[in-house]
């Protein structure tokens, strides 16, 4: 069985501070991993994806994520957070025919 | 704009009723997926269609059904609605059968059962 764990339900950071959102996965094969962002009342927007190759992947809006097989992690980072980054972030794992999502991490940004 | 269109955006209906949610995938995408997002369950996979055929089922209730039409749009039918069916229903599409390519999500349909 596959699973995704996002340990932090809610994180608050100050604008301009760095950000790291944690994601751990469980999967028996090479994972395909994604980070999505959901703004209030909106759909899910793909931030970045990892399929293979370079373990540090760059995404949109200045986000990056690092795949660490030894730690079964795929943490999302941003060096300097903007107020517009306030949203809910979901890590997802692609299995055979479906995406398995974590419960999400809600990010609040203090101006 | 992801290119995936869902209608309606909002739906309010009474218990026991039946509703149909509609999804138009991105141009060229053959796979359509339906997900349910609720506060207690999070994002749950319901069902997948590929080029008109059902390919995978997740936690979809027997009261729910879906289909994908020859023009590749899909409909999710929810019947005998209960209060607990209130949720945000997302449709996603991708090029191929598996999620090894990225999936693009629509804006969702917010269903409220009263």
């Amino acid at each position: 069985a596959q699973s995704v764990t996002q340990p932090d339900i809610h994180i608050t950071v100050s604008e301009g501070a760095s950000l790291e959102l944690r994601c751990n996965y469980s999967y028996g094969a090479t994972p395909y991993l994604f980070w999505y962002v959901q703004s209030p009342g909106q759909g899910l927007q793909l931030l970045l994806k990892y399929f293979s190759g370079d373990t540090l992947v760059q995404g949109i809006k200045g986000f990056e994520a690092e795949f660490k097989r030894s730690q079964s992690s795929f943490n999302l980072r941003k060096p300097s957070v903007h107020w517009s980054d306030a949203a809910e972030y979901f890590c997802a794992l692609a299995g055979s025919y479906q995406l398995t999502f974590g419960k999400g991490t809600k990010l609040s940004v203090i101006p | 704009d992801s290119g995936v269109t869902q209608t309606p955006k909002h739906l309010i209906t009474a218990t026991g009723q039946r509703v149909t949610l509609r999804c138009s995938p991105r141009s060229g995408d053959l796979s359509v997926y339906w997900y349910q997002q609720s506060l207690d369950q999070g994002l749950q996979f319901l069902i997948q269609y590929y080029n008109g055929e059902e390919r995978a089922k997740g936690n979809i209730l027997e009261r729910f059904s879906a289909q994908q039409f020859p023009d590749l749009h899909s409909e999710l039918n929810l019947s005998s609605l209960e209060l607990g069916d209130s949720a945000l229903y997302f449709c996603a599409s991708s090029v191929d059968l598996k999620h090894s390519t990225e999936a693009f999500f629509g804006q969702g349909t917010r269903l409220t059962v009263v």
Side-chain angles (χ1 to χ4, degrees):
Chain A
Q2 61 194 61
S3 66
V4 176
T5 303
Q6 293 180 247
D8 304 305
I9 297 173
H10 191 185
I11 283 182
T12 301
V13 299
S14 298
E15 193 170 15
S18 64
L19 171 70
E20 182 168 28
L21 302 182
R22 297 183 290 165
C23 171
N24 293 100
Y25 68 89
S26 174
Y27 189 59
T30 301
Y32 297 127
L33 296 162
F34 306 82
W35 275 99
Y36 285 86
V37 60
Q38 183 180 25
S39 298
Q42 300 296 312
L44 293 157
Q45 182 182 22
L46 180 68
L47 283 176
L48 46 77
K49 62 190 182 219
Y50 172 78
F51 288 161
S52 64
D54 195 347
T55 56
L56 186 63
V57 294
Q58 303 296 321
I60 62 171
K61 304 184 180 187
F63 285 93
E64 66 178 26
E66 186 170 13
F67 171 66
K68 292 186 178 180
R69 186 186 298 275
S70 61
Q71 297 177 21
S72 298
S73 69
F74 188 56
N75 294 347
L76 182 71
R77 302 194 293 244
K78 187 169 184 178
S80 178
V81 169
H82 189 262
W83 65 266
S84 61
D85 294 324
E88 190 153 20
Y89 292 80
F90 293 91
C91 181
L93 169 70
S96 297
Y97 296 105
Q98 60 176 289
L99 280 172
T100 297
F101 285 89
K103 294 289 189 184
T105 298
K106 184 176 180 181
L107 174 65
S108 296
V109 181
I110 301 172
Chain B
D1 182 5
S2 67
V4 179
T5 303
Q6 289 187 249
T7 56
K9 286 187 168 52
H10 301 276
L11 201 47
I12 301 175
T13 190
T15 54
Q17 296 298 305
R18 171 189 167 96
V19 297
T20 297
L21 313 183
R22 182 187 170 99
C23 170
S24 294
R26 290 191 323 151
S27 177
D29 286 357
L30 298 179
S31 269
V32 170
Y33 312 80
W34 286 97
Y35 286 81
Q36 179 194 58
Q37 184 180 35
S38 60
L39 283 175
D40 53 343
Q41 296 292 324
L43 275 156
Q44 297 283 314
F45 169 70
L46 295 178
I47 197 164
Q48 182 208 11
Y49 278 82
Y50 177 78
N51 204 21
E53 291 187 15
E54 179 188 306
R55 287 296 181 159
K57 261 186 174 179
N59 300 322
I60 187 166
L61 300 172
E62 285 192 12
R63 299 184 285 108
F64 296 0
S65 64
Q67 52 184 330
Q68 185 179 29
F69 295 86
D71 67 352
L72 300 178
H73 91 272
S74 177
E75 292 181 356
L76 179 67
N77 300 296
L78 315 176
S79 62
S80 303
L81 285 167
E82 302 175 359
L83 295 178
D85 298 326
S86 296
L88 194 51
Y89 291 84
F90 283 111
C91 167
S93 74
S94 67
V95 172
D96 65 5
L97 189 61
K98 297 186 177 184
H99 266 301
S100 54
T101 58
E102 57 217 70
F104 293 86
F105 282 76
Q107 298 279 62
T109 293
R110 182 167 295 283
L111 173 67
T112 303
V113 182
V114 297

